[in-house]
Amino acid sequence: MSPGLPTSAPPPTVARMHHPPTAYAVPFTVDRSRAPRRYDLVNAGTEPLHAISLTHLGSGYCPPLAVNQLDPGRSLSLAVFGADPEQTGIVVVRWRRPDRSEYLWRMSLVGDRLVGLAS
């Protein structure tokens, strides 16, 4: 035992590691069969999604859309009016999982590739 150290000293405090949650796949698929004027966003996940809102950024007009709940297998239709088919922009999708955690996803409306990650 080292001189000068009390024998009843508590062990040093060890900070707990905070591990980030496991990655979460974006629960949507996009049906583009009627693009560039209409897109169907399908909940391809296994849980109901809540407080869903879609915001369009780009050319043309897309009415804001908000839905309280979207069950697995159900879809939302998104219409874009007056837009050039090659420049329709993006849609920001916001939703909450059943545990109330919030996610955002940026979805491209141009082409057949999706752009975005859940955050």
Side-chain angles (χ1 to χ4, degrees), residues 29-112:
T29 59
V30 181
D31 177 355
R32 298 170 187 269
S33 61
R34 293 182 255 184
R37 302 293 176 238
R38 180 174 165 177
Y39 303 83
D40 293 317
L41 191 66
V42 181
N43 179 356
T46 60
E47 60 190 16
L49 305 173
H50 303 276
I52 302 156
S53 65
L54 288 81
T55 306
H56 175 252
L57 304 169
S59 65
Y61 172 71
C62 175
L65 181 62
V67 173
N68 189 39
Q69 181 171 317
L70 186 64
D71 291 324
R74 301 296 306 260
S75 65
L76 298 173
S77 291
L78 173 72
V80 180
F81 302 99
D84 178 342
E86 296 301 316
Q87 299 178 359
T88 54
I90 65 166
V91 170
V92 177
V93 183
R94 175 181 173 252
W95 74 95
R96 291 188 183 272
R97 294 180 71 185
D99 68 1
R100 306 303 294 157
S101 55
E102 180 180 37
Y103 291 84
L104 298 171
W105 179 48
R106 184 181 69 145
M107 176 184 88
S108 174
L109 296 180
V110 178
D112 60 356

